Every structure is written in structure tokens, then in C-alpha cells.
Amino acid sequence: ATPPPTNYTLDLSNPADARILDPADFVTFLNNRVKVAGKTGNLGSNIIITKEKNTVALNADIPLSKRYLKYLTKKYLKKNNLRDWLRVVANNKNSFELRYFQVDNSEEAEE
């Protein structure tokens, strides 16, 4: 029995609206970094990564863990020095969202 196709979506609208992150650049990064059978650049027709406005959709016919997608997203943020401002949050079973950290400045105000 073949496993059902895996569909993941990444919502990049927060940073993309602020022009911090370019979704097209992120798609290129994923295309270059996702490993199939232990090799990068081996996507073929098994994995299709598409961009629609500020969301990136990933459709895979082969097993691909959501954790791996989160790992790659965090790697991309680190590469672009955005890890200090953005976090990857699951907003439902098959999708992630990039959110800003909630900065609490109340302690600094007291001093």
C-alpha cells in the first residue's frame, strides 16, 4: 500500500509583509536543501514545492516528516540571521507559521 501524499504549508505572511523575508528565496533554499534518499537536489517529481503569495506549499509523494521541514525552516532563518526575531509555530496538523517572538519590555521599563 502506498502512503497518502503529504501536504505541508508554511505561512510566511508576517515576515514577508514586513519585507524581512523573501518567499521566493525560501523556495529556492528548500529546493536546494531537501534530501531525497540521502541526496540533495534529488527532488524529481516526488516533491513539489510551490509558492503562492506569502505561503509555501510542499507536496510529497514519499514520506517526509513535518519535523524535517521545521528543521530546514529554522536553518534558513539562522542563515539569514532571523532566528532572534522569528519562530516556527505549528498552527495546525499540516502547516507552520512564522511568528515574531513576543517581546516583553515591562522589566526594562521598571528600572
Side-chain angles (χ1 to χ4, degrees), residues 98-109:
L98 291 185
R99 290 191 191 157
Y100 294 106
F101 281 111
Q102 295 297 314
V103 181
D104 185 23
N105 291 331
S106 60
E107 291 175 15
E108 294 173 15

Side-chain angles (χ1 to χ4, degrees), residues 33-54:
R33 294 297 177 98
V34 172
K35 286 187 176 182
V36 177
K39 297 186 187 118
T40 56
N42 191 14
L43 297 182
S45 61
N46 293 326
I47 297 179
I48 299 158
I49 302 172
T50 53
K51 178 181 84 79
E52 201 174 304
K53 289 188 181 166
N54 292 332

Side-chain angles (χ1 to χ4, degrees), residues 29-99:
F29 174 85
L30 284 179
N31 277 317
N32 295 336
R33 294 297 177 98
V34 172
K35 286 187 176 182
V36 177
K39 297 186 187 118
T40 56
N42 191 14
L43 297 182
S45 61
N46 293 326
I47 297 179
I48 299 158
I49 302 172
T50 53
K51 178 181 84 79
E52 201 174 304
K53 289 188 181 166
N54 292 332
T55 54
V56 173
L58 188 138
N59 302 332
D61 296 340
I62 55 175
L64 185 81
S65 74
K66 187 177 174 186
R67 187 91 194 113
Y68 181 54
L69 192 59
K70 183 173 184 177
Y71 161 78
L72 286 172
T73 306
K74 286 161 80 170
K75 204 171 172 75
Y76 175 80
L77 292 175
K78 182 71 178 159
K79 182 182 143 207
N80 292 312
N81 300 321
L82 297 171
R83 276 290 270 134
D84 295 341
W85 291 280
L86 292 168
R87 59 190 287 220
V88 186
V89 182
N91 51 4
N92 67 41
K93 190 171 180 285
N94 288 336
S95 72
F96 284 117
E97 178 182 7
L98 291 185
R99 290 191 191 157

